[in-house]
Amino acid sequence: RSHSMTTRLGVLLGARCGASAAAARAAAAKRHVASARTVHARTVRQALGSATAAPAMVDTEAAVGQKLHGWTCERVEELAELKCMGMLWRHDKTGAECLSVAQPLEENKTFGVVFRTPPESSNGIAHVLEHSVLCGSRKYPVKEPFTELMKGSLQTFLNAMTFPDRTCYPVASCNLQDFYNLVDVYLDAVLHPRALKDPRVLAQEGWHYEVEEKDKPLTFKGVVFNEMKGVYSNPDSLQGRTLLNNLLPDTPYGVDSGGDPREIPNLTFDYFKGFHERFYHPSNAKFWFYGDDPPARRLELLDEFLRDFERKEVTSEIPLQPLWAEPRRVEHSFAVGKDEDISKKSMACVSWVLSEDKPNLETSLALSIMDYCLMGTPGAPLRKALTDAGLGSRVIGGGLYEGLVQPTFSVGLKDIKETDAAAVEELITKTLEKVASERFEKESIEAALNKIEFENRELNTGGLPRGLALMFSAVSNWNYGKDPFEGLRFDAPLKALREKLVEKGEPLLEGILREKLLNNKHRLTVTSKPDFEESSRIEAAEKARLEKHRTSLSEDDIEALITATKELREMQETPDKPEELASVPRLELSDIPKETLKIPSQIGRLGSAEVLRNPQLTSGVVYVDVAFNLRDVPARLLPLLPLFTRGLREMGTKKSDFVQLQRRLDLATGGISASPLISSKRNSDEPAAYLVMRGKAMEGKIDSLMDLMGEIATEVTWENQSRFLQLAKESHAGGRSSLLSAGHVIAAGRLGRQTTTAGWASEQLSGLSQFEAVGKLLEQAEKDWPAVEAQLRELQSCIFKDACVMNLTADTDVLTRLDSHMETFLKRLPEGKASSPFWVPELARASEGIIVPSQVNYVGKGANLYKDSDYKLHGSAVVTSRLLGTTWLWDRVRVSGGAYGGFCSFDVRSGDFKYLSYRDPNLTKTIDNYDGTPDFLRDLEVNADMLAKSVIGTMGDVDKHQLPDAKGYTALTRHLLGETDEMRQELRDQILSTTGDDMRRFAGALEAVRSGPVCVVGGEEAVRGASESLGLSLKSPLAAAPGTA
């Protein structure tokens, strides 16, 4: 949900990768989010399964009433689904609670502390405080212990999150000492932050007036201020926030915990301190541990901090929203560009509060099943009715959400005519009435039950630590005074529901639908309308506010502000003292393994196919990846590939229409997907380019999985014009959202398309070129469908051939039983091998300005170090790039400049180096900072501590923890890219042996970026204002086509 949380780190950690890796991560994230949406909070718990390896010895014995390290055990629960024990402890002195889950099978240890932080206004206090407490503390008196941890930790997760009613501080690491270091820094940060004594932290992270000279205007600056400007520039985010604030108006959800940019400047230092004093107390804290670390030591660590506090009465309970007697309606406006076509740009969303309180586990699971049956697949009746109506481009709302004190349900349409809002509401109501009277189909219910059970048992959380996902599930109850263990269970209620719904055929879901939706008067309809003048009004109001304040200031007041601006900047740019930096704990280089981590993989053949077999502990789940070479795909068809891959699963086959196909998938498998994998290869001008089909199922269902994968590849039908148009409209709407919310990704793609074939091809599939191509494709599909259908068939014939690469990941014994199933699949594929030469695009360099309706900018600049300089790859470049992101760019672009993110990426495969900023109030100043990077490096004094931190942090990225399926997929990508263990070991040796001289030498390579092209995504005034000095070629991708209104 767009309003569910804001985070301190933003995009910083996820941005350090090449274009292909970014695309792969995005695809993986989408898969995880999509599956999580289906079953919501209940999907993130599961048994790690029947692993055969001996678990680490962890003492999990505890008894109710036992006293240990200042804590008393209140509950001991066997978590059968997780195959481990959970213990709930209460701190004797403060009343703090700790849920300690001892999981000997989990090396990725997780800790979190959660405070209830109900906001009273939209001044962003909870969000600003979340940022600020990580800016130095009692034990760690440096400006940014958070960034020091990023520099020198093997962390697998390090962030902080503001939800609408709580603030979470989670960390994770596989290294025990590193884990303890993270816990120690975070505990000191939340309980003893320096921000309470230094108003400059609030000024930096929240907001401040900035003026550098007497004759210059006042401006607002601050990291959270600019972050939320970016959020409020996105119509989707604004719609979600408006919905939440008005659906539960008599609760803390009636205001924006992230902060409204119009309200953030009302936040005072006294209120800031008072909020921390009220809510950041152990008596208001819930602590979480999960993993194979010693449980007793957890309590000891916590007591070392908590023993200094006394028990305190904290009023932080989240009040329930009284249910309404009559439905309500709200309208609001969002900004659009002056040259956009707004004839179909409105949104309408209908939302309900489903109950007066949080439901029990069985009811919650029943709601999830109902949600899946209504909305969970393209063929689900409510989603399908809205899509088929042709009123809008994309279903919005997200369906069921259980992360608040009361569950909600939301559904609507995007890109509708303003006059069609009532028709959307009527269609939703009529469809729900029809489903209630005709009943849900039995197969749909069975598919929902199977999907929920599979995802709970697999617990595939992607890049998110399992312990963190489980913490979120526990807290979704725990935060509201409910049983935290209930959020970690599913077996018994799922079994009971299967009996009621399938075996007995009880009309349970229909009863819930009538009670919670049709007969529920607590319903809100939100209509979001585009407005050409909204952006101007917002900017004018801010300028007027600043001018009014300036006129109230005396000459002395202005001088004081100028001095404060200079002092803040001086503080931000003054390095911490070496002795203070040394206080932040870190590992030693000797703790880092010298040998590269290998993924065991056996390579063989089955007929024309190459087969990789990856033995992993997968609890009986079989993961199948099939990579088809894209060599034979003509360049003219590349922009069609994303819609082609989606259509494979959502257009239907000769045996089943797309509704039946999805149901068959959910009844028998954990899902099937297809996506492109395009990347540069080291020491080669040719890219690696594949379409990868991915599927997963329990071993007993492998026949069904391979039959479905074969059917999709060979029997997909392309005749359904209306269905394809629906997919294309959804894709185009998603592309528009990306332009407004992920401008840094767009800018990176535009820079990458100028340097390598892989970069060019990737941008055809996922960047601005893709957005423009889908717009043209929509017109063609409406006017000349046979031509588009022929292109889709041509793609199919170009791609699916039996000379493919199969990648199997499963338990060792299961791998020995899969060959016959794979051979049956391969026999269905046409014979052949991709043999055409790769694409040869023209790679022209140019600087671009991409104009969108936004209050902030996304600024990129780059070059290819292999082609634009004489640089030869050395592993120290990876260390240096990471260092820049946590020092120079962090300090100048984020801390001093006020952007939400400032970072760089270096792709060792392609040689592309890119600077990028995220939600940035500046433009040319940011580019000046980029251009100052070589000088910063040349003057850099690299001491032993800085060097060790940089290397250790880099190795944390290199050796990132992965779940079994991710390890298997990594083995496949390394094979396809020709990256051997020897190549990886050479790079690792170079990383570990990096010196200060290596870092300084990298400055020479970065000189090439000074003269490299720029790409800026931002508001019209900012982009046009910089276009002449930067030589920008301007584009307005959201502008209406000539002749449209």
Side-chain angles (χ1 to χ4, degrees):
R1 296 292 290 273
S2 60
H3 56 254
S4 62
M5 69 175 182
T6 52
T7 67
R8 180 178 200 273
L9 192 56
V11 297
L12 181 61
L13 289 179
R16 294 193 185 90
C17 53
S20 61
R25 285 190 187 184
K30 284 179 181 177
R31 285 194 298 273
H32 176 58
V33 169
S35 64
R37 200 217 64 78
T38 302
V39 293
H40 306 285
R42 300 298 174 195
T43 62
V44 285
R45 43 206 183 265
Q46 176 281 316
L48 288 175
S50 55
T52 55
M57 297 304 296
V58 176
D59 180 11
T60 59
E61 290 188 10
V64 175
Q66 178 182 351
K67 300 278 188 178
L68 186 63
H69 299 305
W71 294 80
T72 299
C73 185
E74 294 192 336
R75 290 177 65 184
V76 178
E77 298 280 339
E78 180 184 0
L79 300 172
E81 291 89 339
L82 297 169
K83 292 184 170 57
C84 64
M85 301 297 293
M87 294 146 281
L88 184 64
W89 298 81
R90 187 173 295 277
H91 193 244
D92 298 333
K93 196 172 181 184
T94 65
E97 291 180 288
C98 176
L99 183 51
S100 177
V101 181
Q103 176 53 277
L105 296 175
E106 183 60 79
E107 66 171 347
N108 196 11
K109 294 160 273 289
T110 305
F111 162 80
V113 56
V114 181
F115 299 98
R116 276 200 298 243
T117 51
E120 299 165 323
S121 72
S122 294
N123 64 9
I125 174 60
H127 188 189
V128 174
L129 196 55
E130 172 231 302
H131 280 238
S132 299
V133 300
L134 295 172
C135 293
S137 63
R138 179 186 63 180
K139 289 174 67 174
Y140 307 111
V142 297
K143 291 181 296 182
E144 294 267 8
F146 182 78
T147 58
E148 296 307 312
L149 290 176
M150 284 199 300
K151 292 175 189 175
S153 168
L154 297 177
Q155 54 83 19
T156 57
F157 192 89
L158 181 72
N159 211 330
M161 302 144 182
T162 303
F163 289 79
D165 56 16
R166 59 193 182 273
T167 309
C168 303
Y169 296 88
V171 297
S173 179
C174 295
N175 181 288
L176 183 61
Q177 185 56 55
D178 189 50
F179 178 65
Y180 288 152
N181 293 345
L182 297 172
V183 172
D184 194 74
V185 173
Y186 261 47
L187 284 172
D188 202 59
V190 298
L191 296 174
H192 305 288
R194 81 173 173 95
L196 303 184
K197 298 178 180 179
D198 189 346
R200 294 175 299 181
V201 177
L202 169 60
Q204 172 183 292
E205 296 297 323
W207 78 278
H208 64 275
Y209 290 112
E210 183 164 296
V211 61
E212 296 178 351
E213 299 174 18
K214 279 188 177 182
D215 58 345
K216 293 291 181 67
L218 280 182
T219 59
F220 287 128
K221 282 289 182 68
V223 173
V224 170
F225 178 79
N226 287 311
E227 175 191 346
M228 297 311 295
K229 270 195 160 188
V231 170
Y232 274 66
S233 295
N234 185 339
D236 297 340
S237 297
L238 189 59
Q239 191 268 352
R241 282 171 152 71
T242 303
L243 185 154
L244 179 65
N245 298 161
N246 288 277
L247 185 64
L248 299 126
D250 306 313
T251 73
Y253 310 127
V255 297
D256 190 346
S257 64
D260 184 331
R262 296 168 297 185
E263 298 292 327
I264 290 172
N266 296 330
L267 176 58
T268 67
F269 187 58
D270 285 342
Y271 190 85
F272 175 82
K273 292 190 296 182
F275 195 88
H276 183 276
E277 182 181 348
R278 274 195 290 164
F279 297 122
Y280 277 64
H281 189 280
S283 300
N284 189 44
K286 292 171 172 57
F287 298 96
W288 164 272
F289 283 92
Y290 176 86
D292 63 2
D293 56 302
R297 178 58 180 149
R298 299 170 175 176
L299 303 176
E300 187 178 16
L301 280 171
L302 290 176
D303 185 59
E304 289 170 3
F305 281 89
L306 304 191
R307 64 177 63 148
D308 295 337
F309 293 84
E310 301 294 334
R311 187 184 294 259
K312 174 182 175 181
E313 290 299 319
V314 180
T315 303
S316 64
E317 290 76 14
I318 310 302
L320 296 169
Q321 169 67 49
L323 299 187
W324 302 335
E326 295 295 332
R328 300 180 185 180
R329 300 177 185 278
V330 170
E331 293 184 356
H332 75 104
S333 300
F334 61 88
V336 291
K338 293 181 178 179
D339 49 4
E340 286 192 55
D341 175 8
I342 63 169
S343 58
K344 290 191 72 174
K345 280 291 183 288
S346 293
M347 291 183 270
C349 193
V350 184
S351 301
W352 292 261
V353 174
L354 300 184
S355 62
E356 293 181 337
D357 201 349
K358 204 160 194 60
N360 62 31
L361 179 56
E362 185 173 320
T363 303
S364 174
L365 279 168
L367 286 170
S368 293
I369 293 167
M370 181 191 73
D371 175 62
Y372 172 90
C373 292
L374 285 173
M375 294 270 292
T377 68
L382 184 52
R383 183 170 162 188
K384 187 173 186 295
L386 286 166
T387 304
D388 289 351
L391 296 172
S393 68
R394 192 179 189 183
V395 176
I396 58 173
L400 178 67
Y401 184 66
E402 296 191 278
L404 308 176
V405 69
Q406 290 158 277
T408 64
F409 187 94
S410 304
V411 61
L413 272 177
K414 182 176 181 177
D415 294 338
I416 65 170
K417 294 179 181 177
E418 183 181 327
T419 54
D420 282 340
V424 172
E425 185 175 7
E426 182 181 2
L427 177 59
I428 291 169
T429 302
K430 285 186 175 180
T431 304
L432 293 175
E433 288 173 345
K434 181 180 179 183
V435 172
S437 61
E438 296 181 1
R439 300 197 60 181
F440 290 102
E441 295 181 22
K442 183 179 179 181
E443 277 197 347
S444 176
I445 295 171
E446 289 185 29
L449 287 162
N450 288 343
K451 186 174 182 65
I452 291 171
E453 184 171 9
F454 183 94
E455 289 176 351
N456 277 278
R457 297 202 182 284
E458 183 195 24
L459 189 56
N460 191 334
T461 54
L464 193 73
R466 280 172 164 161
L468 181 54
L470 292 167
M471 183 187 85
F472 288 151
S473 275
V475 169
S476 68
N477 263 5
W478 200 10
N479 194 57
Y480 310 109
K482 307 295 184 182
D483 181 4
F485 290 105
E486 189 176 86
L488 306 177
R489 295 192 168 104
F490 65 90
D491 263 345
L494 205 56
K495 183 179 179 180
L497 285 170
R498 189 180 292 276
E499 180 181 357
K500 292 176 183 178
L501 295 171
V502 178
E503 297 172 18
K504 295 182 179 179
E506 294 180 11
L508 176 66
L509 299 184
E510 292 80 5
I512 292 175
L513 191 157
R514 290 189 183 280
E515 176 192 352
K516 305 296 185 185
L517 298 178
L518 285 172
N519 300 331
N520 183 357
K521 299 298 184 182
H522 195 112
R523 184 177 79 239
L524 175 72
T525 302
V526 175
T527 304
S528 309
K529 300 179 179 180
D531 188 334
F532 289 127
E533 304 303 323
E534 181 70 6
S535 180
S536 298
R537 281 195 295 267
I538 292 170
E539 291 176 10
E542 183 177 313
K543 287 180 180 179
R545 180 176 184 175
L546 288 164
E547 289 170 2
K548 181 180 179 181
H549 182 71
R550 181 167 186 130
T551 59
S552 71
L553 299 177
S554 66
E555 289 292 318
D556 289 344
D557 292 335
I558 292 174
E559 283 295 338
L561 273 181
I562 292 172
T563 300
T565 299
K566 290 178 180 178
E567 288 177 350
L568 177 60
R569 186 154 298 167
E570 183 178 332
M571 182 272 289
Q572 292 168 333
E573 296 178 0
T574 300
D576 291 303
K577 296 176 182 178
E579 61 270 22
E580 292 173 342
L581 288 171
S583 69
V584 181
R586 65 166 173 83
L587 298 176
E588 299 296 330
L589 281 172
S590 58
D591 295 320
I592 308 300
K594 298 295 186 291
E595 290 194 13
T596 189
L597 302 180
K598 298 182 176 74
I599 299 173
S601 188
Q602 303 154 358
I603 302 175
R605 298 199 72 83
L606 282 176
S608 299
E610 197 171 22
V611 182
L612 279 70
R613 297 176 178 86
N614 311 298
Q616 294 286 335
L617 297 173
T618 65
S619 305
V621 179
V622 179
Y623 299 94
V624 179
D625 309 313
V626 188
F628 298 95
N629 204 309
L630 294 176
R631 274 182 175 273
D632 286 351
V633 174
R636 59 182 170 79
L637 293 183
L638 272 180
L640 184 56
L641 193 58
L643 280 170
F644 172 85
T645 57
R646 187 174 173 194
L648 287 172
R649 206 186 72 169
E650 296 192 36
M651 288 289 287
T653 66
K654 292 177 182 177
K655 293 180 182 176
S656 304
D657 64 23
F658 73 92
V659 178
Q660 296 164 334
L661 178 63
Q662 183 63 55
R663 192 169 296 165
R664 289 170 60 200
L665 286 168
D666 290 343
L667 281 168
T669 78
I672 294 174
S673 64
S675 59
L677 169 65
I678 296 181
S679 172
S680 293
K681 296 193 293 185
R682 285 172 61 180
N683 305 316
S684 174
D685 290 332
E686 280 197 350
Y690 294 87
L691 184 145
V692 183
M693 284 190 73
R694 308 192 69 190
K696 56 186 175 182
M698 303 305 295
E699 184 192 2
K701 299 283 189 179
I702 193 65
D703 269 343
S704 297
L705 174 66
M706 300 316 299
D707 179 59
L708 284 161
M709 290 181 75
E711 182 180 329
I712 288 170
T714 61
E715 299 181 30
V716 59
T717 57
W718 301 109
E719 293 86 358
N720 192 338
Q721 178 187 12
S722 62
R723 178 62 185 152
F724 184 85
L725 285 170
Q726 291 166 358
L727 299 181
K729 288 176 182 177
E730 289 179 10
S731 175
H732 204 242
R736 186 184 191 279
S737 295
S738 294
L739 280 165
L740 297 172
S741 63
H744 61 300
V745 177
I746 300 297
R750 298 300 286 182
L751 294 171
R753 76 190 294 269
Q754 302 180 32
T755 58
T756 66
T757 301
W760 169 83
S762 295
E763 208 269 336
Q764 296 290 309
L765 304 181
S766 60
L768 177 60
S769 293
Q770 171 66 192
F771 174 74
E772 293 173 334
V774 173
K776 295 175 182 176
L777 188 64
L778 270 168
E779 293 182 19
Q780 185 184 14
E782 288 176 339
K783 296 176 181 177
D784 188 5
W785 171 244
V788 175
E789 183 182 346
Q791 292 172 21
L792 291 164
R793 294 185 187 281
E794 185 180 358
L795 268 176
Q796 186 179 359
S797 65
C798 289
I799 294 170
F800 294 117
K801 299 173 183 178
D802 64 352
C804 55
V805 180
M806 302 198 75
N807 187 59
L808 311 177
T809 305
D811 294 303
T812 303
D813 60 324
V814 174
L815 283 173
T816 64
R817 301 191 288 269
L818 297 180
D819 281 10
S820 62
H821 306 290
M822 302 305 118
E823 287 172 338
T824 301
F825 167 78
L826 290 168
K827 288 176 183 176
R828 297 181 68 168
L829 297 174
E831 293 183 2
K833 179 179 180 180
S835 57
S836 302
F838 267 117
W839 321 292
V840 185
E842 293 184 15
L843 303 177
R845 307 294 178 94
S847 291
E848 289 184 298
I850 299 169
I851 296 171
V852 297
S854 176
Q855 300 177 55
V856 290
N857 305 307
Y858 305 83
V859 184
K861 187 171 187 178
N864 188 285
L865 302 189
Y866 299 162
K867 297 179 180 180
D868 300 333
S869 73
D870 58 0
Y871 177 75
K872 303 297 181 186
L873 175 63
H874 188 273
S876 60
V878 184
V879 182
T880 309
S881 298
R882 196 179 194 281
L883 173 80
L884 290 173
T886 55
T887 55
W888 173 254
L889 296 173
W890 176 277
D891 292 338
R892 295 304 174 110
V893 178
R894 187 188 193 276
V895 176
S896 298
Y900 187 31
F903 39 88
C904 62
S905 68
F906 176 54
D907 187 335
V908 299
R909 294 165 181 152
S910 69
D912 277 353
F913 185 96
K914 299 165 189 168
Y915 299 110
L916 296 162
S917 71
Y918 183 68
R919 292 179 179 167
D920 190 344
N922 305 307
L923 201 162
T924 55
K925 283 184 179 179
T926 297
I927 292 172
D928 289 342
N929 284 320
Y930 295 164
D931 290 344
T933 305
D935 293 335
F936 165 78
L937 277 180
R938 288 191 184 94
D939 296 338
L940 185 65
E941 295 183 10
V942 183
N943 59 34
D945 183 65
M946 178 188 291
L947 182 60
K949 283 180 179 177
S950 300
V951 172
I952 291 167
T954 302
M955 292 312 303
D957 292 340
V958 171
D959 293 341
K960 208 70 170 175
H961 180 263
Q962 292 183 308
L963 296 179
D965 70 308
K967 290 180 181 178
Y969 191 72
T970 297
L972 172 65
T973 57
R974 288 174 182 168
H975 178 73
L976 296 177
L977 299 179
E979 295 179 355
T980 65
D981 289 338
E982 291 74 22
M983 292 168 65
R984 295 174 52 246
Q985 184 65 55
E986 180 183 21
L987 195 66
R988 186 186 194 89
D989 292 341
Q990 292 170 353
I991 290 171
L992 290 171
S993 62
T994 295
T995 67
D997 287 339
D998 291 329
M999 291 180 165
R1000 286 184 285 269
R1001 273 195 295 270
F1002 194 57
L1006 293 186
E1007 287 292 347
V1009 192
R1010 283 190 201 256
S1011 56
V1014 168
C1015 183
V1016 180
V1017 180
E1020 182 169 9
E1021 182 178 347
V1023 174
R1024 288 195 184 278
S1027 61
E1028 186 174 347
S1029 62
L1030 297 177
L1032 303 179
S1033 172
L1034 300 183
K1035 297 176 73 76
S1036 296
L1038 301 181
T1044 59

